[in-house]
């Protein structure tokens, strides 16, 4: 078929090829001469030139497959020159496909040198212009000229005519859920990740589940998003019905690009701690792809809200320098709204590029998570979004993640000239599938500040070096390094267990000395998951225990703590705590429900004139303020018991946009040994009704 197409194309091209020589070029007395045409003159020489050129082109031209594959209709314009030395040169080719341009150039420029044209007995150049309609159906318009300006002007006219209808000729294609096979992140939502967590944790598969967010392409191998989506679709024929129940609002798809745009909301009304509460978020998000390797996402949130009393108090305790009243946990700095509410805008987005199946690189503003649990002691998503660069490398039984972040310390103590203090963090996480059941992860992170105008230290761009070694070369007091270890074991397709250990400022003498040194900064996590529990399809159960010793994640420098915008980068509670969590989730079609119980013991500071010591829970305090060096115990200070119960039920309105309607009930009991101005006994009951586009995790359990 390819040979036949080539033959037809070339035959018609050259059977219609004529050169109007003497009429157009009265200043050429003799045509260029091929070796086989020597001894001929006048029209005979022109004909011989044509025939020889045709034969050579016919023997060497290979029609690009794309011309036939796409049934292309259009015009090709080429300018060919035989120079004064007898060389063939393609000056210009205007065609719809680069492959066609390249092939024309290759064929003509492979011609041998010939005797050049002459004028008044002297060698001169001659240029040939031809126009060909594709597919070949009429004679090409061909002429010979020797004025480059004239040639290019004529070609420009042809090109302008050719593209006059370019706008109308843009083709649209049906959208086929390209995001499900793309390099886009699956939005971080515990509720949504539970849908495919079982599929990602089958015994024998060689994937990695700790580095989050996942991209659709890596999950789609194990969980068929398209099939799951088809099961949820409602039969709607009207445009409004399809957009409300099944589809993205705006869709554009071309030959090698696509994008969607959707409005969204997070509207809540409720009552908590005796006051009416609400959240009013309007958002728009835009996502798409250019080719198969590059994807993009952007979301803008505009929000106002008033929350239950304990949540408002915590948000205000995070307030930044500069007069703003609060930081909404996990979101952003808030401005005052009316007399008792907050206004907090948020913007997130990223570019995601996969140069090959082994690599994915992302540049964005958002969050990351490392771990298999509900919490993470290594890197969590409970802080505000931040700029990041992330590189995932996957091969053999390994997945290696490098993340570089730019963070902010927004406290009054570190603000300079009205600007928040910049600090940076880099981390490595290496995930290894040791067997088909056992996975082990190795973690290291370092935080450093912009001291001595250090800026982003290029030493930490090295993706394979140990950060502790870099600290010694750059000044160990200028950084805060943390290391960690994680593990997961799959007992069966239904049950797996996971763990994490975090080590901050490891000193073997202090850890194993038995005197409970303050330098013994350790934390660990143990958890288990049970899928399709007790034979009930889509019933997901999870149990988790976390504990972190006092002073973990803090530092003797006022800036180098493991935090961002006054929020911890790991566990929501900071340090100096024990916590147990029980979670149940259930799905049935578009219906869903969840229950979460949290039991904990935390150690707070008294912050009184009689006792202003730092007991190790608030990671933003200076370690030098500790009351003693040994005998350090979890829960020391103002020991507080915490119980939180969260219950939620809802209905998925649109699976394409993750729009949900729900009702939730939260009960919180907070009982310190000593009531202080900031920590005092309280019980909160918070009921909410809402509709939200579920793109991130809301955490209310602190």
């Amino acid at each position: 078929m390819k040979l036949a197409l080539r033959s037809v194309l070339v035959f018609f091209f050259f059977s219609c090829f004529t050169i109007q020589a003497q009429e157009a070029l009265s200043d050429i007395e003799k045509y260029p001469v091929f070796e086989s045409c020597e001894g001929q003159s006048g029209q005979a020489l022109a004909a011989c030139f044509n025939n020889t050129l045709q034969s050579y082109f016919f023997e060497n031209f290979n029609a690009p497959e794309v011309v036939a594959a796409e049934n292309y209709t259009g015009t090709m314009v080429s300018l060919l020159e035989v120079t004064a030395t007898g060389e063939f040169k393609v000056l210009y080719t205007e065609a719809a496909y680069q492959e066609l341009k390249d092939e024309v150039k290759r064929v003509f420029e492979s011609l041998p040198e010939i005797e050049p044209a002459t004028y008044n007995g002297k060698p001169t150049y001659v240029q040939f212009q031809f126009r060909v309609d594709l597919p070949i159906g009429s004679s090409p318009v061909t002429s010979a000229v020797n004025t480059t300006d004239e040639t290019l002007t004529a070609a420009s006219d042809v090109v302008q005519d050719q593209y006059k209808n370019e706008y109308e000729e843009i083709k649209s294609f049906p959208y086929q859920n390209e995001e499900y096979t793309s390099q886009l992140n699956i939005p971080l939502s515990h509720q949504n990740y539970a849908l495919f967590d079982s599929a990602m944790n089958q015994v024998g598969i060689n994937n990695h589940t700790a580095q989050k967010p996942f991209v659709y392409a890596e999950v789609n191998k194990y969980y068929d998003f398209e099939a799951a989506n088809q099961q949820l679709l409602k039969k709607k024929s009207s445009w409004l019905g399809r957009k409300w129940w099944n589809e993205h609002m705006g869709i554009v798809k071309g030959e090698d690009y696509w994008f969607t745009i959707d409005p969204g909301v997070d509207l809540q009304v409720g009552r908590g701690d005796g006051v009416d509460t609400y959240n009013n978020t309007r958002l728009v998000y835009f996502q798409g792809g250019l080719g198969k390797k590059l994807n993009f996402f952007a979301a803008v949130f505009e929000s106002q809200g008033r929350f239950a009393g304990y949540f408002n108090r915590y948000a205000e305790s995070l307030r930044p320098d500069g007069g703003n009243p609060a930081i909404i946990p996990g979101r952003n700095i808030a401005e005052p709204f009316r007399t008792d509410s907050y206004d907090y805008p948020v913007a997130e987005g990223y570019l995601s590029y996969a140069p090959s199946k082994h690599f994915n690189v992302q540049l964005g503003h958002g969050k990351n998570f490392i771990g298999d649990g509900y919490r993470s002691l290594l890197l969590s998503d409970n802080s505000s979004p931040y700029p990041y660069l992330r590189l995932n490398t996957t091969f053999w039984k390994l997945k290696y993640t490098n993340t570089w972040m730019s963070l902010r310390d927004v406290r009054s103590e570190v603000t300079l000239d009205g600007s928040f203090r910049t600090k940076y963090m880099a981390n490595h996480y290496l995930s290894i599938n040791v067997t088909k059941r056992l996975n082990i992860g190795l973690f290291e992170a370092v935080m450093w500040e912009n001291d001595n105008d250090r800026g982003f230290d290029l030493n930490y761009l090295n993706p394979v070096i140990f950060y502790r070694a870099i600290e010694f070369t750059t000044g160990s007091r200028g950084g805060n390094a943390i290391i960690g270890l994680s593990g997961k074991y799959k007992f069966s397709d239904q049950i797996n267990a996971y763990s994490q250990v975090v080590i901050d400022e490891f000193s073997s003498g202090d850890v194993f000395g038995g005197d409970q040194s303050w330098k013994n900064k350790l934390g660990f996590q143990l958890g288990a998951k049970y899928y399709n529990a007790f034979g009930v399809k889509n019933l997901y159960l999870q149990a988790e225990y976390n504990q972190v010793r006092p002073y973990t994640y803090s530092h003797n420098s006022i800036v180098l703590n493991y935090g961002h915008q006054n929020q911890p980068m790991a566990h929501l509670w900071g340090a100096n705590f024990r916590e147990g969590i029980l979670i149940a989730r259930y799905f049935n079609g578009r219906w869903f429900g969840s229950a979460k119980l949290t039991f904990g013991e935390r150690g707070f500071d008294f912050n009184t004139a009689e006792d202003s010591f730092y007991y190790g829970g608030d990671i933003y305090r200076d370690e030098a303020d500790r009351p003693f060096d040994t005998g350090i115990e979890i829960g020391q200070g103002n020991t507080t018991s915490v119980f939180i119960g969260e219950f939620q039920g809802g209905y998925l309105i649109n699976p394409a946009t993750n729009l949900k309607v729900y009702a939730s009930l939260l009960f919180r009991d907070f009982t310190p040994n000593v009531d202080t101005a900031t920590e005092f006994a309280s019980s909160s009951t918070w009921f909410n009704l809402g509709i939200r586009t579920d793109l991130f995790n809301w955490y209310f359990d602190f």
Side-chain angles (χ1 to χ4, degrees):
M1 181 66 185
K2 178 179 177 182
L3 179 60
L5 173 65
R6 184 189 72 177
S7 301
V8 170
L9 176 65
V10 175
F11 173 77
F12 277 105
F13 181 87
F14 283 104
S15 64
C16 299
F17 183 84
T18 60
I19 301 178
Q20 303 167 355
Q22 298 301 330
E23 290 105 352
L25 293 175
S26 59
D27 54 350
I28 293 180
E29 64 182 13
K30 183 180 177 182
Y31 248 69
V33 182
F34 281 103
E35 185 177 356
S36 60
C37 299
E38 290 180 355
Q40 301 188 41
S41 61
Q43 294 297 325
L45 179 59
C48 185
F49 177 87
N50 282 348
N51 292 335
T52 305
L53 190 62
Q54 292 173 27
S55 297
Y56 186 88
F57 196 93
F58 178 81
E59 292 171 0
N60 291 275
F61 180 78
N62 295 308
E65 292 181 2
V66 67
V67 176
E70 300 193 3
N71 296 318
Y72 172 69
T73 301
T75 301
M76 180 178 72
V77 180
S78 295
L79 303 176
L80 175 68
E81 177 178 297
V82 181
T83 69
T85 61
E87 296 180 71
F88 284 86
K89 183 184 297 184
V90 178
L91 300 178
Y92 176 83
T93 297
E94 182 61 42
Y97 303 102
Q98 185 61 43
E99 295 92 334
L100 195 57
K101 297 179 185 180
D102 293 341
E103 182 60 14
V104 170
K105 181 180 177 68
R106 183 192 69 80
V107 173
F108 281 129
E109 293 192 349
S110 68
L111 283 160
E113 281 189 15
I114 64 175
E115 183 180 332
T118 60
Y119 176 66
N120 289 335
K122 295 181 180 180
T124 187
Y125 72 91
V126 61
Q127 296 174 346
F128 302 94
Q129 172 197 334
F130 54 90
R131 168 179 172 168
V132 181
D133 292 326
L134 299 175
I136 305 298
S138 60
S139 299
V141 178
T142 310
S143 60
V145 294
N146 65 355
T147 304
T148 302
D149 291 342
E150 177 186 343
T151 303
L152 295 178
T153 300
S156 177
D157 292 341
V158 172
V159 172
Q160 289 180 18
D161 291 341
Q162 177 184 357
Y163 289 105
K164 222 173 233 190
N165 297 320
E166 183 180 21
Y167 181 86
E168 288 76 9
E169 291 173 355
I170 295 176
K171 296 180 180 180
S172 296
F173 297 87
Y175 178 67
Q176 296 177 318
N177 291 322
E178 276 75 11
E179 67 184 292
Y180 294 155
T181 56
S182 73
Q183 297 297 317
L184 287 170
N185 290 336
I186 303 174
L188 276 172
S189 165
H190 292 299
Q191 191 78 24
N192 296 334
Y193 275 50
L195 290 171
F196 50 79
D197 204 35
S198 174
M200 294 288 287
N201 282 282
Q202 301 297 292
V203 175
I205 62 177
N206 185 39
N207 65 357
H208 304 265
T209 57
Q211 296 101 322
K212 298 179 178 76
F214 300 137
V215 299
Y216 279 101
E218 65 181 320
V219 177
N220 198 58
K221 292 171 56 180
Y222 312 101
Y223 178 83
D224 191 334
F225 286 101
E226 181 67 30
N229 182 65
Q230 289 298 319
Q231 294 177 7
L232 298 176
L233 293 183
K234 292 181 178 290
K235 294 182 179 179
K236 299 293 179 180
S237 57
S238 68
W239 181 88
L240 182 59
R242 290 185 289 106
K243 297 302 178 182
W244 176 251
W245 295 107
N246 298 327
E247 299 178 0
H248 291 285
M249 181 61 68
I251 299 171
V252 173
K253 182 185 175 186
E255 183 179 347
D256 57 355
Y257 60 88
W258 66 273
F259 62 85
T260 66
I261 186 168
D262 291 280
V265 294
D266 189 349
L267 306 177
Q268 306 171 25
V269 292
R271 188 166 180 83
D273 290 346
V275 299
D276 294 330
T277 65
Y278 74 93
N279 186 71
N280 176 19
T281 295
R282 293 86 59 209
L283 66 99
V284 60
Y285 73 97
F286 175 73
Q287 62 182 7
L290 298 175
K292 297 293 186 181
K293 298 181 178 181
L294 178 65
N295 292 98
F296 52 84
F297 174 90
V300 178
F301 303 78
E302 177 59 37
S303 306
Q304 296 81 37
R306 179 177 63 244
F307 309 94
Y310 82 93
F311 190 96
N312 294 334
R313 289 193 296 273
Y314 180 65
E316 290 174 6
S317 74
L318 304 177
R319 70 173 62 89
D321 181 63
N324 287 313
I327 294 177
I328 305 303
R331 304 312 292 148
N332 203 3
I333 295 174
E335 297 179 348
F337 180 71
R338 296 178 177 170
T339 57
D340 57 358
S341 302
Y342 312 106
D343 187 312
Y344 58 102
V346 180
E348 299 185 56
Y350 59 87
L351 294 174
S352 180
Y353 179 64
S356 74
K357 67 179 181 179
H358 299 298
F359 297 98
N360 173 271
V361 59
Q362 291 193 10
L363 176 65
H365 187 265
K367 303 181 185 183
N368 297 272
F369 189 100
I370 294 178
D372 286 287
Y374 173 73
R375 308 285 199 190
S376 174
L377 305 185
L378 305 180
L379 179 65
S380 187
D381 63 335
N382 49 254
S383 71
S384 300
Y386 46 80
Y388 70 89
L389 172 65
R390 185 176 73 233
L391 173 63
N392 276 325
T393 306
T394 307
F395 64 97
W396 189 49
K397 302 175 184 180
L398 306 176
K399 184 173 182 179
Y400 189 41
T401 299
N402 305 91
T403 312
W404 298 271
M405 292 157 271
S406 176
L407 308 176
R408 296 290 183 273
D409 194 323
V410 299
R411 294 171 296 162
S412 301
E413 301 94 303
V414 299
T415 300
L416 180 64
D417 297 329
S419 296
F420 297 137
R421 189 77 163 263
T422 299
K423 58 183 178 181
Y424 304 97
M425 184 165 75
N427 66 44
H428 298 163
Y429 183 79
L430 177 63
S431 174
I432 311 166
N433 287 327
V434 180
T435 72
K436 66 179 182 180
R437 297 177 184 270
L438 176 63
N439 173 273
I440 291 177
L442 305 174
F443 175 82
E444 61 172 345
V446 66
M447 189 88 66
W448 73 96
E449 61 175 315
N450 188 25
D451 53 342
N452 296 323
D453 293 324
R454 182 180 180 186
F456 188 93
D457 196 326
L458 297 181
N459 285 287
Y460 294 109
L461 284 177
N462 190 329
V464 296
I465 199 168
F466 288 102
Y467 287 142
R468 198 63 176 172
I470 295 179
E471 275 199 294
F472 285 111
T473 64
T474 59
S476 60
R477 291 174 296 177
N480 180 21
I482 291 176
I483 60 174
L485 179 69
S486 69
K488 181 177 70 174
Y489 189 82
K490 304 173 188 176
F491 292 97
S492 69
D493 288 345
Q494 286 184 277
I495 299 175
N496 68 61
Y498 58 90
S499 65
Q500 287 185 342
V501 175
V502 62
I503 305 171
D504 183 7
E505 199 171 317
F506 181 78
S507 172
S508 59
D510 294 314
V511 172
F512 301 110
D515 57 359
Q516 296 294 304
S517 169
W518 74 277
K519 292 183 179 180
N520 185 0
K521 299 180 179 181
L522 297 175
F524 73 87
Q525 174 188 87
L526 290 174
K529 297 178 182 179
Y530 186 14
Y531 309 111
N532 298 320
F534 308 111
V536 180
K537 186 179 180 181
N538 297 329
L539 176 61
Y540 168 104
L541 301 180
Q542 182 176 5
E544 184 173 299
Y545 176 79
N546 299 287
Q547 79 169 39
V548 177
R549 283 184 54 79
Y551 307 108
T552 307
Y553 306 119
S554 63
H555 199 264
N556 52 24
S557 166
I558 197 170
V559 175
L560 295 179
N561 52 69
Y562 202 63
H564 166 60
Q565 283 198 183
N566 292 347
Q567 302 155 81
M569 290 291 288
H571 196 289
L572 184 64
W573 288 3
N576 194 13
F577 68 84
R578 295 183 178 92
E579 176 195 43
I581 306 172
L582 299 174
I583 301 173
R585 304 186 193 276
Y586 178 70
F587 307 92
N588 187 357
R590 296 195 182 209
W591 293 96
F592 64 90
S594 66
K596 178 159 59 36
L597 302 178
T598 303
F599 311 83
E601 179 184 80
R602 305 177 64 180
F604 290 94
D605 300 330
F606 292 99
N607 290 322
T608 62
E610 297 77 20
D611 191 341
S612 61
F613 290 112
Y614 171 37
Y615 287 93
D618 181 358
I619 69 170
Y620 277 86
R621 288 201 60 177
D622 190 340
E623 295 171 343
D625 294 336
R626 62 187 181 276
F628 27 76
D629 293 340
T630 59
I632 304 298
E633 297 180 350
I634 294 176
Q636 68 179 16
N638 192 4
T639 306
T640 302
S641 63
V642 180
F643 171 75
I644 303 171
E646 284 188 77
F647 308 91
Q648 186 177 118
Y651 184 80
L652 178 62
I653 296 174
N654 189 328
T657 62
N658 232 1
L659 181 66
K660 303 174 178 179
V661 60
Y662 68 93
S664 67
L665 176 65
L666 181 146
F667 175 77
R668 179 180 182 266
D669 184 76
F670 186 84
T671 309
N673 284 347
V674 178
D675 285 351
T676 66
T678 54
E679 273 72 47
F680 50 87
S682 63
S683 291
S684 301
T685 302
W686 188 7
F687 175 73
N688 257 322
L689 293 173
I691 179 172
R692 73 179 300 235
T693 304
D694 193 3
L695 299 179
F696 61 90
N697 284 314
W698 266 112
Y699 291 101
F700 301 106
D701 47 358
F702 42 78

